[in-house]
Amino acid sequence: MARMKFLCDADRCIECNGCVTACKNANDVPWGVNRRRVVTINDGVPGEKSISVACMHCTDAPCAAVCPVDCFYTTDDGVVLHDKDLCIGCGYCFYACPFGAPQFPQQEAFGVRGKMDKCTFCAGGPEEDNSAAEREKYGANRLAQGKLPMCAEMCSTKALLAGDGDLVADIYRERVMKRDSRPQAWGWGTAYKSEA
Amino acid sequence: MTMAGRRPVQLPVLALVCLIASGISGCQDPSDVTIYEPGVYKGKTDPLLALADTAEYEERLAVRFNYQRDR
C-alpha cells in the first residue's frame, strides 16, 4: 500500500505560484482560502529558497488529535481527510497545524468561520466519488480518476512531487546524486547547525 | 340533553385535542443526532477507501507517477 506524500524540491522551485493557481482552479477553492501557498525564505536575498506548502497529510495528524468532534479520518494510503458535515468550525485544527493548512472560508459577524477547508490531496471527501456534492464541498477527486494532485502534475520544474513516499524519495535521491551535493531541503541548515 | 345539543361542544374539544397531540408529537428527540465518542470517526464512509484496495488503482497511480520523473 502506497503512503502518499508531498515533497517540494527547494532547489527547483522558482516561486511561480503555478501550484497555487492549479489547486484553486481544479478544486474551485473559494475566495480567501488558499489550500496551497508558496513560502519564500530570505526573499530578495541571493540564495533565497522557495517551497510550496499545503497539508502535509501527517502520519500522526495534530489536527485530528485536537478535533472535538472527530471529523478527520485517514485513508489507507495516508491521506488525511475530513467530513464537513461533522465539522463545527471551532478552529482548533487551525491552531494545532504547524503548516497553517486548515482554512476557513467565511469571516462574518460573531466570529462565524464556516466549515474548515484544506488540501485533500485531490482525494475529495466522504461523498460519492466525483459527485456534485463532493465537488461542491471538497473539490476534485483526482485520485479516484487514477490521477495525482493537480499542483504536482502542473509543476513546470517538477519541484513539487506527489505520490507514494518511497517513489518520491527515490526521485529526490537521484536528483541529489546528480547535483553531487547534500540535500538542500528546507530546514537542513537549522537541523544540522550549518549554513544553508 | 339530546345528542343534537352536545355536538357543537364536542367539535372544538376534539379539535383542541388533535392540536395538542400534534404539538406534543413534535417534542420528541430527533433521531439523527450524532453522539460523539472520543477518537471515533462517525462521519460518512468514503467510497475511495474501497477503491484504494484494488490493484488497478495502485497501478494507474504508479503509471501516472512516472510522469514526474525527469525526461
Side-chain angles (χ1 to χ4, degrees):
Chain A
M1 180 61 69
R3 182 90 202 164
M4 295 298 184
K5 286 292 169 196
F6 282 121
L7 186 137
C8 185
D9 187 343
D11 279 355
R12 284 198 177 198
C13 181
I14 55 170
E15 200 191 349
C16 70
N17 278 279
C19 50
V20 179
T21 310
C23 172
K24 286 195 77 104
N25 189 44
N27 296 299
D28 293 329
V29 179
W31 185 260
V33 173
N34 274 343
R35 291 184 178 182
R36 177 166 285 286
R37 282 158 292 133
V38 176
V39 176
T40 303
I41 300 157
N42 296 330
D43 200 0
V45 177
E48 67 173 35
K49 299 272 185 196
S50 295
I51 48 161
S52 178
V53 187
C55 173
M56 301 299 277
H57 299 279
C58 307
T59 304
D60 186 6
C63 53
V66 299
C67 180
V69 293
D70 287 310
C71 73
F72 291 90
Y73 62 99
T74 306
T75 66
D76 289 342
D77 44 10
V79 180
V80 178
L81 299 171
H82 71 297
D83 187 337
K84 285 193 178 182
D85 292 339
L86 291 183
C87 176
I88 56 172
C90 66
Y92 279 19
C93 50
F94 173 75
Y95 299 122
C97 178
F99 304 102
Q103 305 269 305
F104 294 87
Q106 293 164 8
Q107 295 206 338
E108 296 172 2
F110 312 115
V112 176
R113 296 185 179 94
K115 307 284 184 182
M116 186 272 278
D117 192 272
K118 75 170 192 71
C119 160
T120 64
F121 209 87
C122 285
E127 300 284 347
E128 191 187 335
D129 287 342
N130 293 304
S131 62
E134 185 181 56
R135 175 93 198 163
E136 189 189 344
K137 284 184 194 171
Y138 307 100
N141 189 344
R142 292 172 58 84
L143 285 195
Q145 298 169 350
K147 300 171 185 171
L148 289 165
M150 185 61 114
C151 52
E153 291 206 324
M154 285 286 288
C155 183
S156 56
T157 59
K158 296 182 181 175
L160 185 60
L161 302 169
D164 182 4
D166 290 340
L167 298 175
V168 168
D170 262 354
I171 289 184
Y172 191 60
R173 198 179 303 116
E174 278 172 23
R175 288 181 185 177
V176 171
M177 294 294 282
K178 273 187 192 164
R179 287 175 201 152
D180 196 19
S181 67
R182 62 178 170 79
Q184 301 293 310
W186 178 55
W188 184 274
T190 307
Y192 296 98
K193 307 287 183 201
S194 60
E195 293 297 319
Chain B
M1 190 182 286
T2 61
M3 288 295 283
R6 286 170 62 186
R7 220 169 257 157
V9 181
Q10 279 179 341
L11 274 176
V13 170
L14 193 64
L16 189 67
V17 167
C18 286
L19 193 68
I20 291 170
S22 63
I24 289 172
S25 69
C27 292
Q28 65 186 17
D29 287 336
S31 58
D32 61 343
V33 169
T34 306
I35 308 295
Y36 296 106
E37 289 173 48
V40 181
Y41 170 73
K42 292 198 170 177
K44 293 175 199 156
T45 306
D46 192 343
L48 186 68
L49 299 179
L51 183 69
D53 277 343
T54 59
E56 189 199 353
Y57 169 83
E58 282 195 32
E59 207 171 288
R60 284 168 72 186
L61 285 184
V63 169
R64 197 84 177 183
F65 182 83
N66 283 327
Y67 295 133
Q68 293 183 96
R69 293 183 188 276
D70 290 334
R71 292 189 197 100

